Each structure stands twice: as structure tokens, then as C-alpha cells.
């Protein structure tokens, strides 16, 4: 039987083969297109599904590795249909998008540790047809809301040139390689701020670029106010001795009001001509709920209590830095 790590490497081989003709304008060693173009495709691009496989190559999974085409571009994404209500344990699309957006508060583009992520509203028939291509009927997609024949789907760019780290952190490299220490620090700041509570192997991957060995958090569904995973919560805490000063300085400027404005409504859809399309967010329909609708609008965001808890973690982090508990990397 193939081990999980071997399955993952096999998936990466397929991804690399599919991207053999990558354009010379690739963003870096892990992104075969510029980030802005990936964001555009995930959010609004017209897409054609070319191939569908379970994410880890096993039957009965709830997420899929989808090869799709959009215009002249072919790319792979993690495709995660929401369950009924879009707010169940380990399947909260809003948490995946929130983790992506939180990193924008304190990381530059080349430092980001969550791949491009978006939420789309697709007709239920299209989602079922996509999943059916795996030949696995164990988890047929559901309508997200009973009144509409549609399903919300979280899409996340499937990165190139990454692998499962054997040890995280690599203690020897941590002592010798300041670039690795900085990049791992960025990763740990993100997992701490969002309260990442699932240390399952496969949720974190590392770039194989020796000069820029970023660690990425590619599954953030168990975070914020989620229940804990039975696989441990190792990276929910701060685990290093030093963190990048640039990231800490940006976190100093984060206010509760700013978090509420940026994360209260992460994405909004409106019903137009029978389909839900993403639109600019309006006022928060209900700050106490993460998934909201009023008949023709759907909003996903963090709740007021989730935002307050995250802000408390940031304030505590800054206090600890100022007390000298953690050192800063220049």
C-alpha cells in the first residue's frame, strides 16, 4: 500500500508534468503564474474542468485535485464543496478564505504562506458532475442552501515544487539558515494568529527551492473558533525564539476596528439572472453569524467574537515581544 507521503509526491509529479510548459513569467518556484492572475482566475475566470482526482488519492475524500483550463492557462486547484449551511467542522469555506486574507495584514506577496484562495458559487449540477468524474459516489455534493440549486466551493491554488517536510521545524537548519528561520517565523505567526488547530501531516508543505524554503499552510479549515482536531494543535502556539521584525511591526498597526472592516465580510454573492455572482461587500448583515443570507444576498465572514479572539492573540503577541520573551529578526 502506498504511504501518504508517497501519494503526495505522486500528485506533485502529475502537477509538474501538467505544468511542463509553464510561462517564463512565473511568479517564483512555487507559482506557475503571477499571483494576481491566479487570484483573478479563481475568483471570476471562466473555467473548464479537465481532470478530477481525490486530493490525497484515496476514495471517500471531501476535497479534490482539479485540473482546469481558463483561457490559455492550465492550473490545478484544491476543490472543496461546502456542506449544507457551509459551516460544519473541518469544512468552513470562510475559514479558508479568512486565513488567506489575514496573511495580507502583515506579509508581502513573496512571503505569503497561504496559497491564493477563493470561494465560488456554482450550480449544484456542475459541482456534482465535477465530483462524479472521480468515479467515487461516497460523498455526493449537497446544496449549500435548500432554497437555491447551488453549492459554495472553496478553490485553492495547488502549488508546484513543494513537498511534505520530514521535520517541522528542521532544528539544524533553524540554527544555521536565517532565511529559513524568517520564513518559518512568518508561517508560525499566521498559524498563531488564526488559531490553527489541526497539525495533521499534509496540512503544511514546504517549498523545495533551497534559496526560499517557505512553509505553507494549505489547509486552514480547523482554525479561529473551530473545535480542535484529534491530530494535535502543535502550530496553534508560538514555537520559535525569534520572529521577523517587519511582520511584528505590521501587526502592531492592526486594530480591532480594522479587522472588523476587513474580515467581517470576506465575500458576498448576489442572485443575478438565476446565478450567484461575487459583488462588492455591503454592510454586515449579522456580525454574530459567519454565514448570512437575506433572500438575494449571501455573505461569508468572521463573526464578531472570532475577530475579537484573533485581536486578543495579536495584542498578547505584541506584549510578549515588548517584554523580551521573543527576539526580533532584522
Amino acid at each position: 500500500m502506498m504511504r501518504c507521503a508517497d501519494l503526495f509526491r505522486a500528485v506533485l509529479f502529475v502537477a509538474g508534468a501538467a505544468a511542463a510548459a509553464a510561462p517564463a513569467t512565473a511568479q517564483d518556484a512555487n507559482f506557475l503564474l503571477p499571483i494576481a492572475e491566479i487570484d483573478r482566475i479563481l475568483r471570476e475566470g471562466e473555467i473548464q474542468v479537465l481532470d478530477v482526482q481525490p486530493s490525497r488519492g484515496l476514495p471517500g475524500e471531501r476535497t479534490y485535485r482539479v485540473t482546469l483550463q481558463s483561457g490559455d492557462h492550465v492550473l490545478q486547484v484544491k476543490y472543496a464543496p461546502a456542506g449544507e449551511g457551509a459551516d460544519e467542522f473541518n469544512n468552513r469555506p470562510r475559514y479558508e478564505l479568512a486565513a488567506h486574507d489575514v496573511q495580507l495584514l502583515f506579509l508581502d506577496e513573496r512571503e505569503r504562506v497561504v496559497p491564493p484562495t477563493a470561494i465560488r458559487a456554482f450550480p449544484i449540477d456542475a459541482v456534482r458532475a465535477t465530483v462524479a468524474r472521480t468515479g467515487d459516489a461516497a460523498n455526493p455534493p449537497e446544496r449549500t442552501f435548500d432554497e437555491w440549486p447551488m453549492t459554495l466551493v472553496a478553490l485553492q491554488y495547488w502549488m508546484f515544487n513543494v513537498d511534505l517536510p520530514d521535520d517541522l521545524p528542521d532544528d539544524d537548519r533553524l540554527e544555521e539558515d536565517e532565511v529559513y528561520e524568517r520564513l518559518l517565523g512568518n508561517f508560525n505567526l499566521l498559524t498563531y494568529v488564526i488559531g490553527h488547530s489541526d497539525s495533521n501531516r499534509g496540512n503544511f508543505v514546504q517549498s523545495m527551492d533551497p534559496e526560499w524554503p517557505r512553509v505553507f499552510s494549505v489547509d486552514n479549515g480547523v482554525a479561529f473558533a473551530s473545535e480542535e482536531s484529534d491530530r494535535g494543535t502543535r502550530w496553534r502556539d508560538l514555537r520559535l525564539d525569534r520572529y521577523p521584525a517587519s511582520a511584528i511591526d505590521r501587526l502592531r498597526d492592526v486594530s480591532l476596528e480594522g479587522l472588523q472592516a476587513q474580515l467581517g465580510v470576506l465575500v458576498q454573492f448576489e442572485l443575478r439572472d438565476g446565478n450567484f455572482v461575487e459583488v462588492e461587500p455591503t454592510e454586515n448583515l449579522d456580525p454574530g453569524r459567519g454565514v448570512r443570507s437575506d433572500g438575494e444576498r449571501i455573505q461569508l465572514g468572521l463573526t464578531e467574537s472570532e475577530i475579537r479572539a484573533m485581536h486578543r492573540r495579536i495584542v498578547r503577541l505584541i506584549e510578549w515581544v515588548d517584554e523580551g520573551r521573543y527576539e526580533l529578526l532584522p
Side-chain angles (χ1 to χ4, degrees):
M1 179 177 293
M2 189 177 290
R3 296 180 297 112
C4 177
D6 295 329
L7 278 169
F8 190 87
R9 293 185 178 98
V11 164
L12 293 173
F13 177 80
V14 174
T25 55
Q27 178 70 14
D28 60 26
N30 303 118
F31 298 94
L32 298 174
L33 293 169
I35 296 294
E37 181 64 7
I38 296 172
D39 285 336
R40 186 197 66 79
I41 291 171
L42 295 188
R43 291 185 59 181
E44 61 184 37
E46 296 211 2
I47 59 176
Q48 176 186 358
V49 174
L50 303 180
D51 184 62
V52 186
Q53 300 293 331
S55 287
R56 290 181 169 86
L58 302 172
E61 296 185 25
R62 68 164 188 85
T63 66
Y64 307 90
R65 175 174 50 89
V66 173
T67 304
L68 57 84
Q69 182 166 0
S70 181
D72 295 332
H73 301 307
V74 175
L75 64 160
Q76 293 192 323
V77 300
K78 183 172 73 172
Y79 184 97
E84 184 178 356
D87 214 24
E88 60 188 18
F89 175 71
N90 202 23
N91 192 4
R92 293 185 171 99
R94 63 192 184 92
Y95 281 1
E96 299 288 358
L97 185 56
H100 172 273
D101 287 4
V102 166
Q103 72 178 340
L104 306 183
L105 299 172
F106 64 98
L107 295 177
D108 291 332
E109 185 173 286
R110 195 160 182 257
E111 298 175 319
R112 295 180 192 175
V113 297
V114 178
T117 303
I119 300 173
R120 297 278 289 268
F122 293 124
I124 181 61
D125 291 344
V127 178
R128 286 174 176 165
T130 296
V131 173
R133 294 177 65 163
T134 67
D136 181 8
N139 294 309
E142 306 171 352
R143 294 184 182 210
T144 303
F145 305 98
D146 289 339
E147 59 267 42
W148 299 300
M150 51 77 73
T151 298
L152 295 177
V153 179
L155 302 176
Q156 184 184 84
Y157 181 73
W158 194 288
M159 290 180 304
F160 176 70
N161 198 34
V162 295
D163 202 353
L164 293 173
D166 293 328
D167 296 299
L168 191 63
D170 181 333
D171 291 329
D172 291 337
R173 188 169 190 175
L174 196 60
E175 293 183 2
E176 301 171 357
D177 186 344
E178 188 171 293
V179 173
Y180 174 75
E181 184 181 17
R182 291 180 61 85
L183 296 174
L184 187 64
N186 289 332
F187 159 80
N188 190 193
L189 287 174
L190 185 280
T191 58
Y192 166 77
V193 168
I194 69 172
H196 198 294
S197 297
D198 185 3
S199 296
N200 185 31
R201 191 164 192 255
N203 288 350
F204 311 128
V205 298
Q206 184 172 338
S207 173
M208 292 191 288
D209 180 354
E211 296 184 1
W212 200 248
R214 262 186 294 183
V215 177
F216 296 90
S217 185
V218 297
D219 190 331
N220 301 289
V222 182
F224 300 101
S226 175
E227 305 93 322
E228 294 180 1
S229 164
D230 60 4
R231 302 300 180 91
T233 60
R234 176 178 175 82
W235 288 100
R236 184 173 62 186
D237 302 319
L238 295 168
R239 305 198 58 84
L240 307 180
D241 297 325
R242 305 196 298 174
Y243 291 93
S246 58
I248 296 297
D249 287 344
R250 292 186 184 183
L251 286 170
R252 287 182 186 276
D253 294 333
V254 172
S255 67
L256 178 59
E257 294 75 17
L259 291 176
Q260 290 169 336
Q262 295 178 63
L263 305 175
V265 183
L266 294 162
V267 65
Q268 179 168 320
F269 302 95
E270 285 188 4
L271 187 61
R272 296 182 179 177
D273 298 325
N275 295 308
F276 278 97
V277 296
E278 183 178 345
V279 298
E280 284 296 317
T282 58
E283 75 283 356
N284 194 323
L285 296 175
D286 185 349
R289 298 175 61 88
V291 181
R292 317 146 196 148
S293 67
D294 67 352
E296 294 189 349
R297 286 184 294 179
I298 299 170
Q299 288 181 347
L300 281 79
L302 293 184
T303 67
E304 190 173 50
S305 63
E306 289 167 345
I307 292 171
R308 287 185 180 279
M310 184 170 60
H311 183 254
R312 286 195 296 270
R313 288 192 290 271
I314 294 173
V315 170
R316 186 164 59 236
L317 164 66
I318 300 303
E319 289 175 349
W320 285 338
V321 169
D322 290 344
E323 291 169 1
R325 181 167 174 175
Y326 298 101
E327 297 180 19
L328 297 180
L329 289 161

